[in-house]
Each structure stands twice: as C-alpha cells, then as structure tokens.
Amino acid sequence: NTFESIKSNEVFKLLTRMKDRGVPVNCVGQQTHIDVSYYNRTNWASGYKENMDRLASLGSQEDPMTLMITEFDAKCTDDHADIPCYHWGHEKEVEQAELYASILKICMELKECKSFESWGWTDAVDFAASDDEYGDRHPFPFDSNLRAKPAYYSMSHMLASTAHGGDGGDGDD
C-alpha cells in the first residue's frame, strides 16, 4: 500500500539500497486497497502521484523502473474502521468513482506505469463480504447485479477522453 508515508518511505529506502547494491530491480507492483471515506482524497491522490514519481526515479534511461497498480479497490467501511458499511449510497459511489478515476489518471500520465488492475470487477464476488464479518463493502466498478457503477463510468470517461487527446478531466476537452 503506497498511501501511507511511513510504509512508502520504507519501501523507497529498501529499493534504493537494493539498487545501490546492484540488485536488478526493474518493476514495482503496488497493491492499493483503500476506503471511500478517506477524508482528504485530493491530497491523498497527489501523495500517491508523488510516490509513483519517486519510484519511477529509481530507474534510468537504460533500465527504466516499470510500475504497476496490481490490486486496486475502493471499499466502504465507514471511516476505514473495519466496521460495516451502513451508509452506502450515491454519495459514496461518487467518492469511489473519483478515487478510481484519479488513480487511473495518475497511472496513465506516468510512462513507467504499465498496468492498472482492479482487485475484482463486481461486488457480486466481493472478497470483503466473504472474508470477514463486516459485510458488503462495495469495492468494485460493478454492483452485485452486474450493473456498472459510477466508478466504471469515470474510468471509461478517463480512457475515452485521453485516447482522443483530452486530459481525462472534467469533460471540457
């Protein structure tokens, strides 16, 4: 998880030491299991981007550092406290969509980022509902009836607008 500064700093230091010793590290995969109720999503996304840039800097022209987001999900646990998500609704779906789109955009804008993968695609097979007593956390772009949620549409818009020369932003491309 790359959003916690202590963890991300330690990972960066470890990778730097490994590279300094000649260990051939040329790829970092990042699990990103987050919660839709993060209070400061704007600063969180900018911190995520700064960390991705920092990890990319460990590469060189001859040996670039490939970055991958390998397990992205944005679940609801009511204030990241591992308690049931009692208040799932449109507002939380919109927050989730913003998180999916912002991290996809960061990956798309960084040439070293080669992969953005969701940990799953539908809440119908939600790991967060089956692995503990906290209930359905709605982490994926499709709901349990296989209907697209706002997260799907925000990523689709990001991909389409970027493919057509836009920046994936607010639709004013």
Side-chain angles (χ1 to χ4, degrees):
N1 290 318
T2 57
F3 54 90
E4 296 177 10
S5 62
I6 293 171
K7 286 182 182 179
S8 62
N9 288 338
E10 291 302 314
V11 167
F12 183 77
K13 286 186 225 176
L14 173 65
L15 290 169
T16 300
R17 288 191 307 269
M18 291 172 70
K19 297 282 282 183
D20 288 347
R21 288 193 327 261
V23 176
V25 178
N26 58 12
C27 183
V28 176
Q30 300 178 92
Q31 298 178 11
T32 308
H33 305 291
I34 61 172
D35 191 276
V36 297
S37 64
Y38 279 24
Y39 291 111
N40 199 344
R41 287 181 304 279
T42 301
N43 288 342
W44 182 83
S46 65
Y48 195 94
K49 181 182 179 344
E50 289 171 14
N51 193 52
M52 293 279 283
D53 289 339
R54 182 171 65 159
L55 291 169
S57 76
L58 292 172
S60 66
Q61 188 73 11
E62 303 78 35
D63 186 24
M65 179 65 74
T66 298
L67 303 176
M68 298 180 176
I69 299 169
T70 59
E71 298 179 14
F72 188 86
D73 64 84
K75 62 187 175 295
C76 175
T77 57
D78 281 344
D79 299 325
H80 203 56
D82 276 342
I83 58 176
C85 179
Y86 294 117
H87 307 292
W88 184 254
H90 182 71
E91 182 179 331
K92 290 204 187 257
E93 284 185 334
V94 169
E95 291 175 352
Q96 181 185 59
E98 290 172 5
L99 288 167
Y100 266 93
S102 65
I103 301 308
L104 176 60
K105 182 177 182 182
I106 289 167
C107 183
M108 291 173 64
E109 290 176 345
L110 189 61
K111 72 178 189 296
E112 292 86 356
C113 190
K114 305 298 183 190
S115 178
F116 175 93
E117 300 172 34
S118 178
W119 186 232
W121 64 280
T122 174
D123 295 341
V125 287
D126 172 358
F127 71 94
S130 62
D131 70 352
D132 58 36
E133 69 274 16
Y134 301 116
D136 194 359
R137 296 185 189 174
H138 315 277
F140 302 125
F142 289 83
D143 70 15
S144 58
N145 294 310
L146 308 180
R147 289 186 300 248
K149 296 186 330 196
Y152 167 82
Y153 293 109
S154 69
M155 289 188 295
S156 180
H157 172 76
M158 182 69 58
L159 292 167
S161 65
T162 303
H164 293 100
D167 67 1
D170 60 11
D172 294 333
D173 328 309

